[in-house]
Amino acid sequence: MADNPSRILILDDDADVAYAAQLVLRRCAGKVATLADPRQLARHLLGGVPDVVLLDFNFTPGRTDGAEGLALLDQLRALPDPPLVIVMTAYADVALAVEAMKRGASDFLTKPWDNARLLAVVEGALAQRAMPAAPAAPAAANDPLMGDSLPMRQLRALIASVGPTQANVMVLGENGVGKELAARAIHLASRRAAGQFLAVDMGSLPEATLESELFGHRKGSFTDARSDRAGRFQAASGGTLFLDEIGNLPLAAQSKLLTALERREVTPLGADRPQAIDVRIVSATNLDEARLYDAQVFRPDLLFRLNTIVLRVPPLRERRDDIPALLRHYLAHYRELYGKAPGTIAPEAFDALCAHHWPGNVRALRHACERAVILGQPGAYGLADFGLHGGAPAIVAPVRAAGADMLALDTLERDAVGAAMAQARGNITHAAILLGISRAALYRKRSKHGL
């Protein structure tokens, strides 16, 4: 480990927890330090900012609200070169961990953790931390992911790191961000790339036929079973099975899936002996993480079988640098598909498209491009051709009756930050984009003005 320059800090007042994590993480970093008293953090940082910080939420006996951890998170994220922060929480406080991620944490771990997941999460964070200083590598010819923004380069780095392993991966993200494309990229980066990639929409499988679809059946095992049929697990043998929309699986069906994963075997309906399975599982869901960790929605034991490694596909609004290339790609694709003449995007429409919030993400942009090619007139595509009738609203800071010339610069800045936060509904990333500043700068300005 002497040649590994990476540094990790574990900030937890429970010495046993900190020591256990330190033992596991020594294999992936040059230095793993522990700190029990957050008041010593500033002095510790004088020796250099770590690459990754594992952060507990509560340090004062009796405190359970997580306010101390969130304040430390803000302090760390406000540094000029902030570390990646992984928050640690009890299972019941997952909603608090999700709030921390909205405020800049890169991931979270629930206590007690599985050592393999701890190692995978930290190794992924170290790979992500290394990306900003690295040159932007061009996407491979067979890479299904599009875009060369920093978030996409970071996502590719994580996929390159976890792809060759056999670990199960859970892909999280909003509708339309390209979770299946990320799953395909994982498959192509794996040692199973020559095998089958089989995608299954778990939300579309009727519960009554779930076992037959996933595990197969024998002739005569039920009405209309006229022949033997292999299930999806057998069909994907030697390859990757992608379980899309896994969050829609009913609890009763989750139990059957868990049994198959634990035993690494399935028993087709009507069969008297199980069959061994050889598949890697990649799953995906658009469920909010707080709901995903709700035991009434998703079995915790199944979740921890599926999420050894978690990848989060960023929404389009967080990688706006990719919008021009995506527009060019999909317009060219649909012009060729429909035999349409080349066209350009009117400058004002282009600006509005790049500023648009895109709540439907890449899928919505793709559909908008198809609409423009079909309905647009030869020449320049206007905004209405894409089905949009206005750009992103501008941030307007409140103006007091005394006139802008009477307002101090600090007051204008405070009003602008407050207006951006209100317009972004408290989302730090969105507000930073609206203001044209970094997340760290926005955290500093909020702290400065007490917002």
Side-chain angles (χ1 to χ4, degrees):
M1 289 295 112
D3 295 332
N4 189 338
S6 300
R7 294 184 298 174
I8 297 171
L9 172 63
I10 303 167
L11 192 52
D12 195 310
D13 63 338
D14 188 324
D16 291 336
V17 169
Y19 182 66
Q22 187 179 39
L23 288 178
V24 174
L25 296 176
R26 279 175 176 168
R27 70 186 75 174
C28 68
K31 182 178 180 181
V32 183
T34 63
L35 202 62
D37 187 349
R39 293 173 296 183
Q40 299 174 0
L41 177 61
R43 177 178 296 179
H44 182 87
L45 294 176
L46 293 176
V49 177
D51 297 289
V52 174
V53 174
L54 271 69
L55 176 64
D56 194 20
F57 273 118
N58 299 294
F59 294 86
T60 302
R63 290 290 294 270
T64 59
D65 59 3
E68 294 170 306
L70 291 174
L72 289 167
L73 172 62
D74 289 344
Q75 179 182 343
L76 289 164
R77 294 301 299 162
L79 294 171
D81 183 22
L84 290 179
V85 180
I86 299 167
V87 294
M88 301 183 293
T89 179
Y91 180 79
D93 295 327
V94 169
L96 186 59
V98 174
E99 170 61 25
M101 292 187 61
K102 292 178 181 177
R103 295 170 66 163
S106 66
D107 210 330
F108 68 90
L109 292 162
T110 54
K111 298 178 182 179
W113 58 69
D114 174 79
N115 284 343
R117 171 148 170 77
L118 169 64
L119 197 58
V121 168
V122 173
E123 286 180 337
L126 289 172
Q128 182 178 347
R129 171 73 171 172
M131 280 304 297
N142 63 347
D143 185 359
L145 297 172
M146 292 184 60
D148 198 39
S149 62
L150 176 58
M152 292 305 290
R153 296 203 310 271
Q154 291 173 335
L155 179 60
R156 284 195 184 92
L158 292 175
I159 289 173
S161 177
V162 306
T165 73
Q166 293 296 321
N168 290 340
V169 181
M170 178 170 280
V171 183
L172 304 180
E174 300 174 4
N175 280 326
V177 295
K179 295 187 290 294
E180 182 172 342
L181 295 180
R184 288 184 182 276
I186 294 167
H187 172 70
L188 291 172
S190 75
R191 297 167 186 164
R192 298 172 174 265
Q196 172 88 331
F197 176 86
L198 185 59
V200 183
D201 183 352
M202 301 298 285
S204 69
L205 293 181
E207 190 170 359
T209 61
L210 181 77
E211 284 186 87
S212 172
E213 292 289 339
L214 292 182
F215 310 143
H217 62 252
R218 293 287 181 261
K219 179 180 178 180
S221 57
F222 58 88
T223 305
D224 293 332
R226 298 184 176 90
S227 61
D228 290 354
R229 181 185 174 187
R232 309 297 175 89
F233 274 88
Q234 296 96 321
S237 181
T240 301
L241 183 61
F242 176 51
L243 304 179
D244 198 8
E245 299 306 338
I246 190 74
N248 293 334
L249 197 61
L251 282 171
Q254 291 177 26
S255 176
K256 297 171 184 176
L257 177 59
L258 174 64
T259 300
L261 296 179
E262 285 180 333
R263 297 178 180 176
R264 304 296 296 174
E265 62 183 23
V266 298
T267 303
L269 290 177
D272 53 9
R273 283 184 292 184
Q275 297 179 352
I277 53 175
D278 174 27
V279 294
R280 182 187 192 177
I281 302 296
V282 178
S283 55
T285 181
N286 62 0
L287 273 185
D288 179 87
E289 289 193 51
R291 290 199 66 216
L292 186 63
Y293 280 80
D294 182 349
Q296 301 300 315
V297 176
F298 208 90
R299 289 181 61 114
D301 43 6
L302 175 59
L303 179 61
F304 291 124
R305 283 278 175 181
L306 296 172
N307 73 346
T308 303
I309 294 172
V310 177
L311 295 183
R312 296 174 178 84
V313 182
L316 188 54
R317 61 183 174 274
E318 293 181 8
R319 56 182 188 105
R320 293 180 184 275
D321 291 348
D322 293 330
I323 291 178
L326 290 168
L327 289 170
R328 288 192 297 269
H329 171 80
Y330 285 118
L331 288 173
H333 169 76
Y334 286 114
R335 282 196 296 262
E336 181 179 355
L337 181 64
Y338 295 117
K340 296 285 188 174
T344 60
I345 304 175
E348 65 277 6
F350 178 80
D351 291 343
L353 290 167
C354 290
H356 187 58
H357 192 62
W358 293 112
N361 294 295
V362 178
R363 181 184 298 148
L365 182 145
R366 185 180 76 237
H367 291 164
C369 288
E370 182 177 17
R371 184 184 192 280
V373 169
I374 293 173
L375 300 179
Q377 298 301 314
Y381 300 115
L383 193 59
D385 295 326
F386 292 89
L388 304 179
H389 301 281
I395 298 171
V396 180
V399 177
R400 299 180 184 176
D405 58 326
M406 298 296 292
L407 295 177
L409 181 60
D410 276 358
T411 303
L412 287 171
E413 182 180 78
R414 185 185 189 283
D415 289 344
V417 170
M421 290 299 299
Q423 187 171 313
R425 298 181 181 179
N427 187 295
I428 295 291
T429 299
H430 301 171
I433 290 171
L434 291 170
L435 289 166
I437 60 178
S438 68
R439 288 166 54 101
L442 179 53
Y443 277 121
R444 288 193 294 270
K445 293 182 187 301
R446 289 185 68 204
S447 177
K448 170 185 174 182
H449 297 293
L451 297 174

